[in-house]
Amino acid sequence: MHLVDERVGLMGSTAIVSGGVPIATGAALGFKLQGKDSVAMVFMGDGAVDEGVVYESLAFAALKKLAVIYVVENNGYATASPVTNRQLLDNIWKRGEAFGVEGKRVDGNDVMAVRDAAHHFVAKARRGDGEALRALRPFGGKDIVGRRLQPLGAAKARLEGQQPLVVGQAQGLRQQMRGAAALVGVGV
């Protein structure tokens, strides 16, 4: 769980819920002080937004206009606790508005939508327009901590009308992913 590889820009990971959020915020401050055009990006689950450090980091990043993107992978559960049992509104992407932080909900199953949002927010951050909060809605029917979170019927209903990416649709996707990865400074 504690991975670091500075050669590819991985500043560290931690098993502490929301622990990567202040690390990314601090990295973005370092980039700014060093005059770099690098962009920090941190990924967290929807349960992480229940932690105060997320809001402290959003407030600081907004105040200092830091180039950091906070990505929330919202599968609807924090371990085994449904988001509806923990939060009144389903609006994680709007949580940064109080700090002037732009947010956007993105379909996490739509690779191209994720790529387009990444391009938008990275370009915005590099222009000096500050931080962003993205909420991805990936398929949430996986086993976490050994417990089935969604019955198969509920998962199927949630995905009704959505088509998974199939091999034929993926032609050229690797090239586009390389372009997006180059944009954020990581290798694919």
Side-chain angles (χ1 to χ4, degrees):
M1 299 256 345
H2 306 285
L3 306 172
V4 175
D5 190 345
E6 292 180 28
R7 294 171 297 141
V8 297
L10 179 60
M11 302 307 292
S13 61
T14 174
I16 299 170
V17 173
S18 304
V21 175
I23 293 171
T25 305
L29 177 62
F31 298 152
K32 183 174 185 169
L33 294 174
Q34 295 168 11
K36 294 182 176 179
D37 73 344
S38 299
V39 177
M41 187 177 296
V42 62
F43 293 81
M44 67 190 104
D46 53 278
V49 300
D50 295 341
E51 299 293 322
V53 71
V54 171
Y55 301 97
E56 294 165 1
S57 296
L58 280 168
F60 184 77
L63 179 66
K64 300 296 182 182
K65 294 291 183 203
L66 301 180
V68 58
I69 300 170
Y70 303 98
V71 181
V72 179
E73 298 175 79
N74 182 1
N75 69 352
Y77 289 86
T79 308
S81 176
V83 71
T84 55
N85 289 352
R86 299 177 290 105
Q87 300 169 11
L88 180 62
L89 302 173
D90 182 18
N91 67 349
I92 290 173
W93 76 97
K94 293 183 177 183
R95 303 285 172 88
E97 288 178 356
F99 309 106
V101 175
E102 178 185 354
K104 180 178 178 92
R105 177 185 261 177
V106 179
D107 180 355
N109 294 313
D110 183 339
V111 176
M112 303 313 285
V114 172
R115 183 205 62 174
D116 292 345
H119 278 280
H120 167 76
F121 284 122
V122 169
K124 179 180 187 269
R126 286 212 167 118
R127 284 192 311 267
D129 292 340
E131 58 303 309
L133 176 65
R134 284 178 31 194
L136 303 179
R137 301 288 292 210
F139 171 63
K142 297 182 177 179
D143 284 337
I144 298 178
V145 193
R147 181 174 171 191
R148 172 68 55 194
L149 296 181
Q150 291 184 344
L152 186 56
K156 283 181 181 177
R158 181 172 173 200
L159 291 174
E160 191 169 307
Q162 297 182 24
Q163 296 297 318
L165 181 70
V166 294
V167 175
Q169 295 171 314
Q171 185 176 17
L173 185 58
R174 181 135 178 98
Q175 287 296 79
Q176 293 171 353
M177 288 174 63
R178 281 191 181 127
L183 184 64
V184 295
V186 294
V188 175

